[in-house]
Amino acid sequence: MKNFNLCLFLKKKKIMVFFLSIIVITTGSCFFYKKFFLSLSEEKALEELNYAQKYLSQGAIDKALNKKKLKIPYLGFYGIVTKYPFTKAGNISKFYAGICFYKLGNYKESIKMMRNFSAKDEFLSSIKYGMIGDAFAQIRNKNEALKNYVKAANIRENEITTPLYYYKAALLTFSMKKYKNSKFFLKKIEKKYPTFLHQKNVEKYLMFIENKL
């Protein structure tokens, strides 16, 4: 009986050692991957990002995106997303690629890129959903556009993005002849954001809606 218990103990010990070894190897591999492979990829991706941003600042949208693999020695935002998807530069490139696709009139690709972009910063997150809203508005999917404008406005209240996207939501619902909804958004701007850039337009739309209703 003692021999049996001893054998059982040794067997369990071997299994535990095996699993511990697997954990150590896996942890070590992850550390190696993050420390060496990812850091090297980050450096390369960041270098590529700098060149793509330069093209974008010059207004060379096709070159900045470089989806068509133009004869330039740099990847462009699309190439960075494809080649370095797990890097920080790869993530922010999705945002820039979304802007480029929008400017080139490829709204569905813009939506796709923006949705894949992970925005930790609340201001960027607002712009992300605002851009998605703009793209949906361009392809005349007004319900999705409205949903994203409202989301963009409500991520975090501030003097810049909140009134801007409420205003876009107001104009959109106005075009849909949903005047009560439009009034709701316009009233929010009027009460909370009196210094909004388009405040005079807000007043005009409100006067029109009041007469309409």
Side-chain angles (χ1 to χ4, degrees), residues 37-148:
F37 181 75
L38 271 186
S39 61
L40 186 62
S41 295
E42 282 286 3
E43 285 181 22
K44 290 180 179 178
L46 188 59
E47 186 180 345
E48 293 286 352
L49 179 64
N50 288 333
Y51 286 112
Q53 285 174 325
K54 283 179 184 177
Y55 282 123
L56 184 62
S57 67
Q58 293 165 8
I61 309 300
D62 272 318
K63 287 182 178 180
L65 182 64
N66 199 20
K67 188 183 179 182
K68 296 175 182 177
K69 296 181 180 178
L70 304 171
K71 290 181 179 179
I72 55 174
Y74 309 110
L75 291 174
F77 296 124
Y78 189 82
I80 298 167
V81 170
T82 306
K83 192 170 182 179
Y84 304 106
F86 304 114
T87 62
K88 290 178 182 177
N91 180 52
I92 195 66
S93 289
K94 293 172 187 174
F95 177 77
Y96 284 117
I99 292 171
C100 290
F101 276 124
Y102 182 88
K103 286 182 176 292
L104 293 169
N106 195 335
Y107 304 116
K108 289 183 179 179
E109 280 294 331
S110 178
I111 292 165
K112 184 180 175 182
M113 279 292 172
M114 283 295 178
R115 280 179 167 171
N116 287 330
F117 167 57
S118 177
K120 292 180 181 179
D121 178 85
E122 289 174 334
F123 186 76
L124 266 183
S125 191
S126 291
I127 296 172
K128 166 187 170 173
Y129 288 107
M131 283 292 301
I132 293 171
D134 288 343
F136 271 119
Q138 290 289 348
I139 58 176
R140 298 185 181 182
N141 189 335
K142 293 183 177 181
N143 289 327
E144 281 297 317
L146 179 60
K147 186 169 75 175
N148 281 282

Side-chain angles (χ1 to χ4, degrees), residues 20-45:
L20 282 170
S21 299
I22 293 294
I23 291 167
V24 170
I25 291 166
T26 305
T27 305
S29 299
C30 289
F31 176 78
F32 179 82
Y33 177 81
K34 287 179 181 178
K35 184 72 177 176
F36 298 100
F37 181 75
L38 271 186
S39 61
L40 186 62
S41 295
E42 282 286 3
E43 285 181 22
K44 290 180 179 178

Side-chain angles (χ1 to χ4, degrees), residues 166-200:
Y166 275 144
Y167 184 64
K168 289 195 174 192
L171 295 184
L172 184 63
T173 47
F174 185 89
S175 72
M176 296 163 77
K177 295 183 179 179
K178 293 183 177 181
Y179 299 121
K180 286 183 180 179
N181 292 346
S182 186
K183 182 181 177 180
F184 171 79
F185 295 123
L186 293 167
K187 279 289 183 183
K188 273 184 171 288
I189 299 168
E190 186 184 51
K191 288 179 181 178
K192 286 191 172 185
Y193 307 99
T195 59
F196 177 56
L197 182 64
H198 303 294
Q199 190 64 244
K200 287 185 179 180

